[in-house]
């Protein structure tokens, strides 16, 4: 039991370090044998916060049952895929323009740590201020990743910035480019399983949750 509470305390310490952009946090984490588990826990909690916000959106738009579960599964899987892709790009770009790049597990761990600001992701549901909060959290996460990359590669802030922006930029482009294909594939799978239509609306693409199809009923409610 003491080990469990020690782990929770370590997770809290790591979260605070990322929130405050403390560059010493990564050095401290590297001295722990459970560093990957700590970073993974932070990423899971951040994802849960975002998906909790998504679930409320789905609930308010009367998405229930199988459609509800499938929407969360699709959105969660897409989010994980995007962050894995971001880690891959950071590793590749870092190996091309920086000396002595870290091995892949350390890059993946760093990307997972940078999701700590998204623990507040559920606040994106705040009326009127939600989109601004979501953008702030994304910017906060990018700055945190910038600090982490600088520590991972042991370089100055400017070279670390180029690597960070490359990873973030590819993530944004992929999110935009694959929004409709992912929604189309999800619609086909859902239709085969349930026999009901399932589509991505223009509102979804602009909502900040591009991989979360809400269905035709959202647009129907908007026109009433």
């Amino acid at each position: 039991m003491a080990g469990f509470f020690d782990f929770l305390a370590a997770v809290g310490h790591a979260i605070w370090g990322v929130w405050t952009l403390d560059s010493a946090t990564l050095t401290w984490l590297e001295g722990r044998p459970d560093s990957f588990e700590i970073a993974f826990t932070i990423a899971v909690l951040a994802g849960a916060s975002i998906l909790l916000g998504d679930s409320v959106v789905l609930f308010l738009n009367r998405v229930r049952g199988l459609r509800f579960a499938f929407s969360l599964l699709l959105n969660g899987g897409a989010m994980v895929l995007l962050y894995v892709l971001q880690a891959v790009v950071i590793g590749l770009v870092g190996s091309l323009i920086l000396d002595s790049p870290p091995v892949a597990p350390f890059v993946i761990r760093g990307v997972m740590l940078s999701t700590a600001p998204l623990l507040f992701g559920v606040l994106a549901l705040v009326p009127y201020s939600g989109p601004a909060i979501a953008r702030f959290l994304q910017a906060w996460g990018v700055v945190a990743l910038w600090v982490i990359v600088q520590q991972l590669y042991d370089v100055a802030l400017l070279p670390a910035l180029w690597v960070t922006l490359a990873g973030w930029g590819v993530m944004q482009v992929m999110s935009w480019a694959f929004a409709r294909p992912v929604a189309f594939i999800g619609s086909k799978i859902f239709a085969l399983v349930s026999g009901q239509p399932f589509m991505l609306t223009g509102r979804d693409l602009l909502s900040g949750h591009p991989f979360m199809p809400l269905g035709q009923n959202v647009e129907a409610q908007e026109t009433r």
Side-chain angles (χ1 to χ4, degrees):
M1 183 64 70
F4 175 73
F5 286 111
D6 175 70
F7 179 79
L8 289 183
V11 170
H13 182 78
I15 290 172
W16 181 254
V18 176
W19 285 352
T20 58
L21 306 178
D22 184 0
S23 59
T25 300
L26 196 60
T27 303
W28 166 81
L29 197 62
E30 288 175 351
R32 294 187 60 99
D34 56 354
S35 61
F36 190 87
E37 289 80 1
I38 291 172
F40 179 78
T41 300
I42 292 173
V44 168
L45 293 175
S49 178
I50 293 175
L51 292 180
L52 177 61
D54 292 347
S55 68
V56 175
V57 172
L58 292 169
F59 180 81
L60 293 176
N61 285 280
R62 302 178 184 179
V63 178
R64 301 289 190 273
L66 184 59
R67 293 183 66 218
F68 179 85
F70 190 81
S71 296
L72 291 182
L73 180 62
L74 183 65
N75 201 34
M79 184 176 66
V80 171
L81 180 61
L82 285 175
Y83 277 102
V84 169
L85 179 61
Q86 185 181 45
V88 170
V89 171
I90 288 174
L92 291 176
V93 173
S95 65
L96 290 174
I97 67 176
L98 302 177
D99 295 329
S100 302
V103 295
F106 293 101
V107 177
I108 295 173
R109 185 188 63 185
V111 171
M112 289 193 295
L113 281 175
S114 71
T115 64
L118 298 180
L119 288 167
F120 296 107
V122 69
L123 296 179
L125 286 172
V126 174
Y128 304 109
S129 301
I133 292 174
R135 293 187 186 94
F136 172 76
L137 294 178
Q138 290 176 4
W140 189 4
V142 172
V143 174
L145 182 60
W146 180 16
V147 174
I148 290 170
V149 168
Q150 191 264 338
Q151 290 295 307
L152 279 174
Y153 288 93
D154 192 22
V155 295
L157 285 174
L158 187 57
L161 177 61
W162 301 130
V163 176
T164 302
L165 291 179
W168 178 82
V170 169
M171 183 178 179
Q172 298 304 308
V173 170
M174 292 298 99
S175 176
W176 174 81
F178 289 124
R180 289 189 179 277
V182 168
F184 177 78
I185 295 173
S187 299
K188 293 300 181 182
I189 296 175
F190 184 83
L192 289 174
V193 172
S194 66
Q196 300 180 14
F198 192 72
M199 64 175 291
L200 185 71
T201 68
R203 174 185 173 89
D204 302 331
L205 290 172
L206 300 175
S207 67
H209 302 276
F211 289 100
M212 186 184 67
L214 298 181
Q216 291 178 337
N217 59 324
V218 178
E219 289 187 344
Q221 292 176 21
E222 292 177 348
T223 58
R224 291 176 183 176

